[in-house]
Amino acid sequence: MRPIITLTTDFGSSDGYVAAMKGTILRICPTARLVDITHHITAYDVMEAAFVLRQATPHYPAGTIHLVVVDPGVGSQRRPVALRYGSHYLVGPDNGLFTLLLDNADPEELVVLNRPRTYCSAQLSTTFHGRDIFAPVAALLASGQPFDTLGSRADTLRPLRWALPIDDDQGIRGWIVHVDRFGNCITNIPHDLFVRRRGSRGVKCYVGNTIIKGVSRTYCDVEPGEPLLVFGSGNHLEVSVNRGNAAELLHIRRGTPVSVVFVDERQDTGSSIRNVVP
């Protein structure tokens, strides 16, 4: 099977940066299959990149190489690295993104890319390591070059941690960690924590300008234009609007707090959805 290299960056699509990286890869490994995960990560946002990659990378076949360049520290002392985790390879800057992606687990193999003569055929730019370091390394891996020839062995990645929800028997307080292109607002509240704390009680969620009661199974469980809670494909609680944009309608953005309260439904006679701010 032809080797697969995925690309994830914050470069956008209006400049030639992504094309230059692809050209570099194909010059070294013409048989590579290049797959764009996204080039529209918010500039410099390593947490957003990690969140998107967590949704995508598990679905690729063994041996896939994931080239990730969201690099606010390009040209600084941050380390360029390549690593193997499970059956996949990751190439990019060591700025905490890979630690988030791996949930702080240690990679099976990790090298610091400190042998530029191995992969850099031209003068190394201080501002475009995506083209001059990471793309060539990904291409060499795809060509079958032994992993340990690319750099010096290392043990650990730079640590960075997700913001975890705060929970007790009365409820869970979390945050919006991602807003997708549909305006669905994804929280950091996982399904297993929610179920464990909820038991058989009802649910009220305070978020943005709205109180939402109950958790729906699908978007279509409410009327078009109405807000709802639902567990999305990533098994995290989402605040959504059926056929609408929850972020715009409910005044929500990334970082907005979300308070989930567990209530005795027999004592809760309020309406299912109530806007508390016009």
Side-chain angles (χ1 to χ4, degrees):
M1 186 176 68
R2 292 167 55 195
I4 298 172
I5 300 175
T6 75
L7 296 96
T8 302
T9 76
D10 57 355
F11 293 164
S13 55
S14 61
D15 300 299
Y17 303 131
V18 174
M21 290 172 59
K22 290 182 175 181
T24 299
I25 292 169
L26 294 173
R27 175 170 47 81
I28 298 170
C29 184
T31 60
R33 297 169 61 189
L34 305 183
V35 179
D36 297 299
I37 292 182
T38 181
H39 299 293
H40 295 281
I41 299 296
T42 302
Y44 318 124
D45 197 331
V46 298
M47 286 195 168
E48 181 179 324
F51 185 89
V52 170
L53 286 164
R54 280 162 61 110
Q55 294 177 309
T57 55
H59 304 288
Y60 282 84
T64 298
I65 300 158
H66 302 286
L67 173 56
V68 186
V69 188
V70 178
D71 194 11
V74 62
S76 70
Q77 294 301 307
R78 67 93 185 93
R79 303 182 303 173
V81 297
L83 61 97
R84 180 176 66 84
Y85 183 70
S87 61
H88 290 199
Y89 293 92
L90 298 162
V91 180
D94 181 24
N95 55 18
L97 192 158
F98 292 145
T99 306
L100 293 173
L101 183 58
L102 274 55
D103 274 332
N104 291 287
D106 291 327
E108 277 85 357
E109 294 183 276
L110 172 66
V111 295
V112 178
L113 304 174
N114 54 8
R115 299 173 185 170
R117 292 183 181 180
T118 304
Y119 44 80
C120 189
S121 60
Q123 184 174 0
L124 178 63
S125 166
T126 59
T127 63
F128 198 1
H129 288 181
R131 178 196 64 194
D132 296 342
I133 297 178
F134 303 127
V137 166
L140 289 171
L141 282 172
S143 299
Q145 180 156 328
F147 187 83
D148 57 6
T149 66
L150 297 171
S152 300
R153 293 280 179 173
D155 295 322
T156 59
L157 293 162
R158 177 184 172 185
L160 191 62
R161 297 185 181 276
W162 297 105
L164 298 177
I166 301 168
D167 62 291
D168 58 27
D169 190 53
Q170 302 304 311
I172 306 171
R173 181 175 174 83
W175 294 267
I176 301 298
V177 296
H178 184 67
V179 179
D180 70 17
R181 69 174 298 272
F182 296 100
N184 298 315
C185 302
I186 303 166
T187 77
N188 63 340
I189 300 174
H191 182 261
D192 57 350
L193 173 64
F194 181 90
V195 170
R196 185 169 70 251
R197 282 298 192 182
R198 177 187 185 182
S200 60
R201 292 176 293 177
V203 176
K204 273 187 177 181
C205 178
Y206 298 80
V207 58
N209 59 15
T210 299
I211 301 172
I212 305 174
K213 281 187 59 181
V215 179
S216 299
R217 188 177 63 87
T218 73
Y219 301 115
C220 295
D221 285 350
V222 301
E223 293 297 320
E226 292 292 338
L228 70 149
L229 299 177
V230 65
F231 281 95
S233 60
N235 270 336
H236 280 71
L237 190 68
E238 296 182 13
V239 181
S240 303
V241 170
N242 183 17
R243 303 186 198 178
N245 188 308
E248 294 179 357
L249 181 66
L250 307 180
H251 300 171
I252 300 173
R253 58 186 177 85
R254 210 181 71 165
T256 296
V258 178
S259 293
V260 174
V261 178
F262 302 125
V263 296
D264 186 338
E265 292 184 299
R266 293 171 300 180
Q267 299 175 1
D268 184 15
T269 59
S271 61
S272 60
I273 299 171
R274 178 166 63 91
N275 291 330
V276 296
V277 177

